[in-house]
Amino acid sequence: MSGARAKGPGKRDLAQEAFDAGLGLVRANPALNAVEFDVCRRENCELAPRDGLVRVDSGAVLHAHPDRRADPQEWAWALAHAVLHLGFGHVPAAKGTREQPDRSELAARCVVVNRFLLGFPVGRTPDHLPAAYPDGDEERLAAHWRRDGVPAVYERCGTAGGEADLFLQEWYACYGQPPDHQLAFATALTRTVSAAMDMAAGRRDSLDGKPAPRRPWERALGWFVSSYPLLGGIASGITLVADAELARAHAISVAAVDAAAGEIYINPLRQFDEEEWRFVLAHEMLHAALRHGDRRGGRDPFLFNVACDFVINGWLEEMRVGTMPEGMLYDKDLAGLSAEEVYDRIAADLRRVRRFATPRGKGAGDILGAPLGPLRDHVDLDGFYRRGLAQGLDLHDRQERGFLPAGLVQEIRALSHPPVPWDARLARWFDEFVPSPAPLRSYARPSRRQASTPDIPRAGRYFPPEEIARCTFGVVLDTSGSMDRVLLGKALGAIASYAEVRDVPAARVVFCDAAPHDAGYVPVTEIAGRVRVRGRGGTVLQPGIDFLQRADDFPATAPILVITDGWCDDVLRVRREHAYLIPQGARLPFTARGPVFRVS
């Protein structure tokens, strides 16, 4: 249906080239391209405007004169205006005789289209058009202007000069069913807006699905893999999650990390250059690799997070890794101190510390306690961090890649040695505080071997009562409904094994839930069989401790082992040697004076 006057051989049709370029800009817009239309540029086209650029009819044809001159940006705006008339339903296809819109209705429809193009720019808006438009839909504006007259500033807002830029004509049955341009445009516009939001949130690279240039945080992470061996191994296994909606939902100002998931969550709306992103990513990777979340123990999580931030930022400044963004925690006076030493210093001024900001934001720690999405599959996450740092340090030294702070090297070397398992530490505790009973031999008790050689007298081996009493220990066992049966099984199994190896015949056991229940001296191999999880709400353990400490038949030197899940309602005060067995990841609601063994 489209056509134009032919030019002589070798002559360029500049008008056609500019029109085609403007049409290409419209076709490149996914929402506008979803509206099907044809173009007519015949020299004798009756609907082509005499003074303007484009007129659209209800058959979805855009009419333009072949000799009309305009630059591509002007053509793009005019063609987009005409296509939006179709998408807004201003020129619907219909059968039967059509009545053309009046002057007020034409102006109202053009105002609505131009107002939309201010926020959905395509091409360049003509200079003679106003910079703002009134609110309201077409019907309300048209009704208002029929009563009061069309303002002069809105009379020539179309694309056909002083003429109407849309024309309604009859749709004949032979053409088939009239197309629904409104539905096509609305569907495509929804997809476009959704894609734009995904792109802004970092969930896709571009509106058309083509790969976009690498973003600065991606280049920063790639720099560690290719050029910084100390953290290259960690960077190769870390996943960056750049999602603006996720960052907003979890109040992440710049970045946060979850070591268990192996993910760093960043806010893609923050305008940092590549050097600043290097500093931020190195900060979060060191949090994860040095296991700061697991090292805090019973300390305040935010205060310990702040202490770790001071230490890490000091190291990165010394190492000159990237550029420290404004607002990061840094103090030269804390150089050379460990995180635990910094914690002890800043804990004295809690009012000041609460105003500090980590990369996550003010008053919030960037070391997350749980992943913000599903857990990734890691065979040995602890080994991944330990191995990555150790190998990175060796490469860094061999390649002489620069200065490393002594404190960082010391922590990496310490991580290279696996931690002692909880059950091995418990065995050492038994060795130190639960002595093995020393057997005595007496001819008053014949040896069991006497029966084989009755003519040779042999002294029997036995444990006197006072020796058994000296070598016992107490167990205060949390039997409330919140106790994990897996924890009970592991803890009691380890206790029975170590006690049996050390010839400890019995332990004094007190079961505690809402009240203490004395079970007396129980053979260590039978403690597990006596346990009954009662499920009575909160746990109160101090009465069980007091009962053992006041018992006349419990030795004053015997230690106490407390087995609980940490959900106790009181602060324990134990005036003798003691230790705690709690699940991995649990916390006691008080500062423990004795060792804490975390059952994994």
Side-chain angles (χ1 to χ4, degrees):
M1 190 171 185
S2 61
R5 185 173 54 190
K7 300 293 181 181
K11 293 184 179 180
R12 294 177 58 191
D13 189 346
L14 298 180
Q16 182 68 35
E17 290 178 6
F19 179 87
D20 291 341
L23 182 61
L25 293 176
V26 173
R27 296 289 192 191
N29 187 293
L32 297 178
N33 192 46
V35 181
E36 296 182 4
F37 61 87
D38 290 321
V39 174
C40 175
R41 297 191 72 230
R42 295 196 311 271
E43 187 173 0
N44 58 351
C45 178
E46 297 179 354
L47 292 179
R50 294 186 298 273
D51 299 324
L53 295 178
V54 181
R55 176 182 285 124
V56 60
D57 65 27
S58 55
V61 179
L62 277 54
H63 302 270
H65 197 279
D67 293 333
R68 188 74 66 236
R69 292 292 183 93
D71 67 40
Q73 293 293 327
E74 291 175 326
W75 275 120
W77 183 89
L79 293 171
H81 181 105
V83 174
L84 285 174
H85 275 313
L86 291 169
F88 286 179
H90 294 166
V91 278
K95 301 174 182 178
T97 304
R98 309 300 299 278
E99 182 179 351
Q100 303 301 321
D102 59 22
R103 177 168 160 266
S104 299
E105 195 168 4
L106 285 171
R109 293 179 181 181
C110 287
V111 162
V112 169
V113 169
N114 290 351
R115 189 175 64 200
F116 180 82
L117 282 172
L118 291 178
F120 192 76
V122 179
R124 184 176 65 250
T125 305
D127 297 334
H128 70 276
L129 293 179
Y133 295 93
D135 295 330
D137 57 19
E138 302 92 321
E139 289 77 11
R140 196 175 78 175
L141 290 174
H144 176 67
W145 289 342
R146 287 191 190 99
R147 184 181 66 249
D148 300 333
V150 180
V153 69
Y154 302 130
E155 280 190 332
R156 297 173 63 90
C157 288
T159 59
E163 306 173 60
D165 64 350
L166 51 85
F167 179 76
L168 301 178
Q169 58 189 5
E170 183 177 359
W171 181 270
Y172 295 99
C174 61
Y175 296 162
Q177 197 68 18
D180 192 340
H181 299 299
Q182 275 185 280
L183 178 61
F185 177 70
T187 303
L189 183 63
T190 301
R191 288 198 303 266
T192 301
V193 172
S194 177
M197 293 180 66
D198 286 345
M199 188 173 68
R203 289 189 289 266
R204 62 186 296 161
D205 294 331
S206 62
L207 290 176
D208 56 6
K210 296 179 180 178
R214 295 178 71 196
R215 290 162 290 192
W217 54 83
E218 295 173 333
R219 297 196 300 271
L221 189 67
W223 177 80
F224 285 104
V225 176
S226 62
S227 306
Y228 201 73
L230 177 66
L231 294 175
I234 304 297
S236 64
I238 282 285
T239 298
L240 286 185
V241 181
D243 189 326
E245 285 299 310
L246 187 71
R248 182 192 60 78
H250 295 277
I252 298 175
S253 175
V254 177
V257 64
D258 182 75
E263 293 178 337
I264 295 178
Y265 309 95
I266 66 173
N267 187 347
L269 302 182
R270 293 305 296 259
Q271 299 298 316
F272 287 162
D273 59 29
E274 184 178 338
E275 289 291 320
E276 290 173 314
W277 279 117
R278 287 181 188 177
F279 190 98
V280 170
L281 295 183
H283 177 104
E284 302 301 341
M285 283 190 287
L286 285 175
H287 269 321
L290 296 176
R291 312 314 307 272
H292 285 160
D294 297 333
R295 278 176 49 187
R296 72 168 179 259
R299 301 178 182 88
D300 180 86
F302 177 69
L303 291 187
F304 190 71
N305 198 149
V306 167
C308 294
D309 278 11
F310 275 116
V311 174
I312 287 177
N313 293 341
W315 289 340
L316 294 177
E317 275 291 285
E318 290 185 63
M319 292 152 53
R320 299 189 179 184
V321 175
T323 302
M324 183 188 298
E326 185 178 354
M328 300 286 275
L329 299 175
Y330 177 66
D331 189 344
K332 289 184 178 180
D333 295 337
L334 300 177
L337 299 181
S338 67
E340 289 76 11
E341 291 171 325
V342 174
Y343 178 90
D344 293 338
R345 289 199 179 190
I346 65 176
D349 190 359
L350 294 180
R351 181 175 299 179
R352 174 170 171 260
V353 171
R354 294 300 177 187
R355 296 195 295 268
F356 286 157
T358 71
R360 187 180 179 186
K362 185 177 179 180
D366 61 331
I367 305 173
L368 302 179
L372 304 185
L375 275 172
R376 297 169 59 200
D377 292 330
H378 287 289
V379 175
D380 183 8
L381 191 63
D382 190 68
F384 161 73
Y385 290 123
R386 192 185 309 115
R387 186 170 55 254
L389 276 182
Q391 293 176 353
L393 179 61
D394 292 340
L395 282 173
H396 200 98
D397 290 340
R398 285 204 304 268
Q399 299 177 11
E400 299 181 351
R401 300 301 293 266
F403 168 79
L404 292 178
L408 176 59
V409 174
Q410 182 180 358
E411 290 205 15
I412 295 175
R413 295 298 187 199
L415 282 174
S416 300
H417 303 284
V420 179
W422 69 272
D423 49 355
R425 294 175 58 216
L426 178 61
R428 292 181 183 177
W429 184 82
F430 269 95
D431 288 340
E432 184 174 0
F433 298 110
V434 184
S436 296
L440 295 180
R441 292 191 176 273
S442 171
Y443 285 99
R445 182 188 296 265
S447 171
R448 286 179 297 175
R449 293 180 296 171
Q450 186 72 27
S452 60
T453 55
D455 297 332
I456 303 175
R458 289 185 175 89
R461 180 176 176 268
Y462 79 105
F463 296 100
E466 61 274 12
E467 190 69 10
I468 293 177
R470 186 181 69 87
C471 302
T472 190
F473 63 95
V475 177
V476 176
L477 186 58
D478 180 354
T479 55
S480 64
S482 61
M483 273 296 286
D484 183 7
R485 287 169 173 78
V486 176
L487 167 65
L488 283 175
K490 289 185 176 182
L492 296 177
I495 292 171
S497 299
Y498 299 139
E500 193 171 13
V501 167
R502 302 191 62 77
D503 292 326
V504 177
R508 185 65 183 271
V509 179
V510 176
F511 298 136
C512 280
D513 41 48
H517 307 275
D518 181 25
Y521 281 95
V522 179
V524 290
T525 55
E526 298 180 11
I527 295 178
R530 302 281 187 92
V531 175
R532 295 292 182 270
V533 176
R534 301 172 184 273
R536 293 188 187 172
T539 307
V540 182
L541 297 178
Q542 187 63 47
I545 300 290
D546 295 339
F547 180 87
L548 276 180
Q549 294 182 147
R550 291 195 300 263
D552 295 334
D553 58 345
F554 189 61
T557 59
I560 297 176
L561 189 60
V562 182
I563 305 175
T564 178
D565 57 0
W567 293 95
C568 48
D569 300 331
D570 52 351
V571 176
L572 297 189
R573 295 174 176 84
V574 189
R575 297 188 302 273
R576 62 174 69 205
E577 283 298 335
H578 63 285
Y580 299 92
L581 268 176
I582 65 174
Q584 184 72 36
R587 293 181 57 200
L588 293 171
F590 51 84
T591 301
R593 300 296 181 184
V596 179
F597 306 119
R598 301 181 183 275
V599 181
S600 59

